[in-house]
Structures are given as C-alpha cells and as structure tokens.
Amino acid sequence: MTPARPAPRRAIVLGGGGVLGFAWILGALSALEAVAGFDVRDVDIAVGTSAGSVAAGLLGCGVPLDAICRHHQGMPAPADPPIAYDYAGATGGALPPRPGLWPGSPRLLLGGLRHPLRLSPIVTLAGLLPTGRGTLAPVHDLMAGVASEAGFAERWPARPRPWVVAADYHVGRRIVFGRDNFASRAAIRSADGVHQRSAADVVTVPRIIRRASLADAVTASCSIPAWYPPTVIDGVPYIDGGTLSNASVDVLQGTGVGEVYVLAPMASVETDRARTPIGRVERLVRRAITRGILADVAALRATGMRVYLVTPEPADLAVIGLNLMNPARRTEVFETAQGTAAGQLARQLSSSAGRAAARVAGDLPGQTPA
C-alpha cells in the first residue's frame, strides 16, 4: 500500500507588478525570512504570477534569496550562483516599444463580446489590445540558465513547487503550470474584481496541458498584453496571468496548506491620496485588486488556513511611483519594502501568536481565553 503523501505545510503567493513589483517582492521576502525565521525556499508551494513567477521560479531552483537580492542590487558575491540577467535594462526600458496595429487576439475579443458574463471587461480588453513588440528573451534565458544549472531543464522543481499562473490568450482561461496536467475548470474574475463561484462563471476544459518547461511557463506568465507578444506553448498563446487575477490566491483552495504568506505588490490595504489624475486612476486599480485579494484571503481563512497578507504601504507607493516598469527605482523600492513588510509581518505574526495562546488557555480547565 502506497503511503499517503503528507499535506503541504506552507505556501507563499507572489503577485504581479512589473520590474518594481519584483524589487518589492524581494524586499518583502527578505523581511519574511528575518521576521518569521525560516528560509523562504522551505515552503511546499510558491504561487507566482508575472513578476512573482520569476521569484517563484528562482526559489524553486534552489537559489538562496540573499543571492537573488545581491544580484538584483548589482553586488553578487563570488560564491553566488551565476545569474545572467541585467536588471537595469533587460526588460527594454521604462516604456514599451510601439505595439502592432491589430487586436492581439480577435478570438478572445469575440468571446468576451458574446459572453460578457463569462469574461471580465479586462480580459476582453486584453484581446482587443495590439500585440506587443518587446522581448522577454532575457527573462527566458535567465530562467532557462538557472533551471539547467540546478538540474531542472527537463523536469519541474519539487520543493518549493512553483505554480506559475498564465492566461490562455484564445479563451481567457487561467492555467497554472506546475499544477495542471489537465485543466478541469477555471474561475473567471468578474468586473468588480471578485471571483464568482456560480456555475455560469466556471468553464469546463477537457484539453490536456503540456508539462511546459519552467522557462517557458515563466515567460508566458510575464507576457504583458500590448508590451510583449504572447508566449506560444504547444501551439497555444499565453499572456500574463495577472490579466485574470493579480495573485491567484484562490488556487490554494483545497490543498490542505496550513500557512500562507501572500505578497502582493499591486494591492494596498493601506493606501494614500494620489494628487494627479493618473495617480488617482492607479489607486482605483489598486483598490480593485485589493478587494479581490482580500476576498480570496478571507475564503482561505474560512477553511482554517493561517493567511498573512503583505502589501505596499504609502511609503512604498511614494518610491514606486506610477511606472512599475522603471528600473531606476528598484533599489529604493527594495530597501523600503524591507522595512514596511517587516512591520506588517511582525504585527500579524504577533497577533496570530496571541490568538493561538488564547485558544490554548481556553482549552485548559479553569481558564478562559484572553
């Protein structure tokens, strides 16, 4: 008799957020290691979307966080694993090249117009946007090189297991590479940013998904519509998973994970008042993303999971600015996130420990919870 596999103990969820979102994630992960006292590679599942998928992939290949951070800041140590990537210029600069002239996915556009209750306006808009002309070759080469060096050129890392989120550019379906051998269903994000659970919002998908390489999957997850072209895997084009859900926290439903840390650079539980029209639009987008993530976090907590959510604070927003693809600010964003994330984690972990102590005290004879 085959022994049952133990339930996953711990997971991290790393949301999307471009170049500066990646810098913020690294700062927040550094704070997590310092405050929670564990190596962030010592998790069972690392859910990654867009920029978060790069971090999840590197950790899955066993690269120490300190080494990733040193390389990101341009100060690698002699003993660090080699990482061939120019963080200052590999993404092509702070602005995209001029995109093509025609809708990138007429099929997705028509599907959204025909079934407006099945696909959100954001997903339909992704089909309308022209094909981007930027290149993600440096991202693919980065992940392919690290994966090959770690022995994962032909197989997927096991622990932490990267779950890399992308979107099928034909039909707007969420795909989780590293988890899905078969896509059985996918929840579609509604216009208000909250996942819907009704039958009308679930698409049954019988198609087999290839076991994509880690490099292909991460590149697909980073393929921002109108900035980069879609990544084609087995004849199917994929785009940035953030088109459907910025962090895909809900994919951990039913996994049995006991502890989850969500680091979401495009959400903000505590925000500020933007002064410019563009800034106010950006804050509206952040609020919509935050509502969706908070709903997913609440759903996980309702199942008994301990979930800790870390998002940028006003101090972070001030240094991030309005262009998440501007590499010039990455050091300041990284350093600021280390401080703000550490404070959030310390407060949440302290509160969690207090509640646990109260529950234990309440179970003892003659004691009541504090």
Side-chain angles (χ1 to χ4, degrees):
M1 181 177 178
T2 303
R5 295 182 63 185
R9 299 179 297 110
R10 181 184 285 150
I12 54 175
V13 178
L14 309 175
V19 171
L20 297 185
F22 182 79
W24 184 90
I25 285 172
L26 292 186
L29 285 171
S30 297
L32 177 57
E33 285 199 338
V35 175
F38 66 85
D39 188 318
V40 292
R41 294 172 297 175
D42 186 26
V43 301
D44 295 279
I45 301 170
V47 180
T49 303
S50 197
S53 74
V54 179
L58 292 173
L59 295 175
C61 289
V63 184
L65 178 64
D66 284 349
I68 301 172
C69 293
R70 283 192 292 268
H71 190 273
H72 180 261
Q73 296 302 301
M75 300 178 292
D80 286 344
I83 300 177
Y85 191 76
D86 175 14
Y87 288 99
T91 55
L95 297 174
R98 181 176 295 179
L101 298 176
W102 309 108
S105 179
R107 179 175 170 181
L108 179 59
L109 174 61
L110 290 174
L113 295 175
R114 290 172 179 169
H115 306 284
L117 297 180
R118 181 174 292 172
L119 295 177
S120 77
I122 293 176
V123 177
T124 303
L125 176 62
L128 175 63
L129 293 174
T131 301
R133 290 175 173 167
T135 178
L136 285 169
V139 173
H140 185 278
D141 292 347
L142 157 71
M143 197 55 58
V146 171
S148 178
E149 185 74 19
F152 297 115
E154 301 296 333
R155 60 192 179 94
W156 204 268
R159 191 167 188 273
R161 178 79 168 180
W163 283 10
V164 176
V165 182
D168 184 324
Y169 202 28
H170 280 160
V171 295
R173 176 190 308 128
R174 180 170 59 187
I175 302 299
V176 184
F177 292 106
R179 182 197 70 172
D180 296 343
N181 293 330
F182 292 83
S184 57
R185 65 180 187 175
I188 305 301
R189 184 169 290 277
S190 67
D192 63 0
V194 179
H195 285 296
Q196 300 297 307
R197 307 296 182 187
S198 67
D201 298 309
V202 175
V203 181
T204 300
V205 185
R207 182 172 59 81
I208 296 176
I209 301 171
R210 175 172 82 88
R211 288 182 177 271
S213 71
L214 183 61
D216 285 348
V218 168
T219 305
S221 186
C222 293
S223 297
I224 305 170
W227 197 303
Y228 303 108
T231 297
V232 179
I233 301 174
D234 271 2
V236 178
Y238 295 94
I239 58 172
D240 193 318
T243 307
L244 293 172
S245 174
N246 180 259
S248 283
V249 178
D250 62 306
V251 300
L252 291 173
Q253 285 279 8
T255 58
V257 169
E259 188 173 274
V260 181
Y261 294 87
V262 180
L263 311 181
M266 287 191 69
S268 286
V269 173
E270 180 187 352
T271 188
D272 59 1
R273 185 185 296 271
R275 297 181 179 179
T276 66
I278 296 177
R280 287 192 286 273
V281 171
E282 193 269 355
R283 296 302 189 265
L284 286 173
V285 172
R286 278 189 177 272
R287 282 196 285 272
I289 291 172
T290 304
R291 285 196 299 269
I293 290 176
L294 287 173
D296 287 341
V297 166
L300 292 189
R301 286 173 175 164
T303 67
M305 293 186 194
R306 298 183 301 278
V307 186
Y308 306 94
L309 173 62
V310 182
T311 64
E313 296 183 354
D316 298 288
L317 299 179
V319 296
I320 290 173
L322 299 178
N323 187 350
L324 288 161
M325 298 297 285
N326 180 7
R329 298 189 174 199
R330 70 185 192 281
T331 295
E332 191 175 4
V333 170
F334 168 78
E335 293 174 348
T336 304
Q338 286 180 305
T340 58
Q344 292 179 60
L345 287 163
R347 290 190 295 272
Q348 293 182 53
L349 289 168
S350 175
S351 175
S352 177
R355 287 195 298 270
R359 285 195 297 270
V360 171
D363 289 338
L364 296 176
Q367 300 287 333
T368 56

